[in-house]
Amino acid sequence: TARESGLSVIQLTSDPAEDAALAFTGDSFVPTDHGLVFASRRTGACNLFYLNLETFRFVQLTDSKQINAIGAVVSPATMEVYYRDGCAIKAVHLHTLAERKLNTIPSGYTASPLSVTLSGKTLAYTIQEETPIPPKTDKPASDRAERFQKQPWCAVVTGHTDGTGWHEVLRQKRWLNPAFIDPLNENLILYSHEGPGKMVRQRLWLIDAGGRDNIPLRREDTSSVAIGHEYWFSDGIHVGYQVTEPDGPKSIGIADVIDGSYLEYPTPYNDAHTQVSHTSDTFVGDGSDHEPYLNLYRLADGKLTGRQLWKHESSFTQPRLSPQPRFSPDDKFVLLTSTRDGNANIYLIALDSGNK
């Protein structure tokens, strides 16, 4: 039980190896199957596993030493997981374990986490020219400024999960990362100019899958604004993001992709990532190194209020093991990764338990 809120905390994994939820921008749950896909190093390399939330039995889905498991994405519609394995984009079926190769990443490039439409028919991601840069410190992403200045060749890529229609939507000599396809519209892709927040002049962009109508979203009038960690709302119309103004608190931003308007709401806590509920009125944040709490925000009558749910005590020094919370499909639980026990494990917070 969380001392801060009285909510029930359910530990899903306890292996000595690292277990982590997938990236907060993608789906991990398969509600019709009572299933959850997660990443684990219990085989000695990071692979994908499928956990039944009723029996707590799990199945190993992949067996490779080159998988970007955290960046995988689940499609309940197709009962497949899509992921990068070395230079290949692949799919694996949750029941039959049948594996398919969908596309190939060009030599000399790496790829971002994947995104998929709600129908499971179309994927999108970015590829980045490999430019090895030794990190300056042990802090996460300490090479970001130098990588930004090198301006590697990058491209936004999309295609169908049946293996057809793969093509580059946009190619630029600029650091692009990541790309998220509209969950309800396979022809609209959100992508980002990556880099240190205050060095990037315009973070968010929208582009048609045919490479047309490349337009900025949430126009930045000053370079001192830092925007990041964007994600789609389930309505396919709104995009959420984190924004920091000069000498101001962090805020949760909500942009409308139809008319370009946006609203930004200051948060009482400082979060590395936030994610929205399927009802679009509740947000969850993962706090920071200085305040490692899971935070819950509610938006009502134009005002955002928040409270701390649980001290997860995770470190943000390894991005793949940061909490990156997200809601379950019914919005009754929050899924996150925590290193509070010394190694990474996966937890659920039951939002309908404890003190309201």
Side-chain angles (χ1 to χ4, degrees), residues 155-301:
V156 177
V157 180
T158 189
H160 302 307
T161 55
D162 64 4
T164 65
W166 286 97
H167 64 281
E168 290 187 1
V169 177
L170 172 77
R171 172 171 282 268
Q172 292 183 349
K173 190 168 175 48
R174 182 192 298 271
W175 191 9
L176 307 179
N177 182 52
F180 301 125
I181 196 162
D182 187 321
L184 302 181
N185 180 3
E186 65 178 17
N187 291 312
L188 185 60
I189 298 171
L190 170 74
Y191 74 95
S192 302
H193 287 181
E194 184 64 282
K198 294 181 180 180
M199 296 177 69
V200 175
R201 294 303 302 269
Q202 175 64 45
R203 167 79 179 186
L204 305 178
W205 294 80
L206 294 169
I207 192 167
D208 181 272
R212 301 174 296 273
D213 300 325
N214 186 30
I215 59 173
L217 179 68
R218 201 295 187 189
R219 290 183 179 272
E220 299 178 43
D221 298 323
T222 170
S223 60
S224 58
V225 172
I227 290 176
H229 295 150
E230 58 279 357
Y231 49 88
W232 282 101
F233 280 51
S234 58
D235 62 11
I237 296 174
H238 296 93
V239 169
Y241 55 91
Q242 294 283 92
V243 58
T244 305
E245 298 276 358
D247 303 318
K250 267 196 173 180
S251 298
I252 293 174
I254 305 173
D256 188 312
V257 303
I258 296 177
D259 62 18
S261 62
Y262 62 89
L263 294 170
E264 293 170 351
Y265 303 92
T267 57
Y269 309 111
N270 188 15
D271 299 292
H273 309 84
T274 57
Q275 182 56 284
V276 69
S277 66
H278 296 81
T279 56
S280 301
D281 60 357
T282 307
F283 299 81
V284 62
D286 56 5
S288 64
D289 274 326
H290 299 297
E291 293 186 308
Y293 289 88
L294 189 72
N295 304 311
L296 191 75
Y297 306 103
R298 298 196 185 277
L299 182 60
D301 301 322

Side-chain angles (χ1 to χ4, degrees), residues 323-344:
Q324 299 200 40
R326 86 293 316 269
F327 292 90
S328 62
D330 59 8
D331 291 331
K332 292 182 178 180
F333 296 88
V334 169
L335 173 73
L336 75 155
T337 303
S338 172
T339 56
R340 63 182 288 127
D341 293 329
N343 63 292

Side-chain angles (χ1 to χ4, degrees), residues 87-109:
C87 63
I89 303 298
K90 291 184 176 181
V92 62
H93 196 278
L94 292 170
H95 290 167
T96 68
L97 305 186
E99 187 179 270
R100 300 184 295 120
K101 182 178 177 180
L102 305 180
N103 196 26
T104 300
I105 299 167
S107 176
Y109 283 78

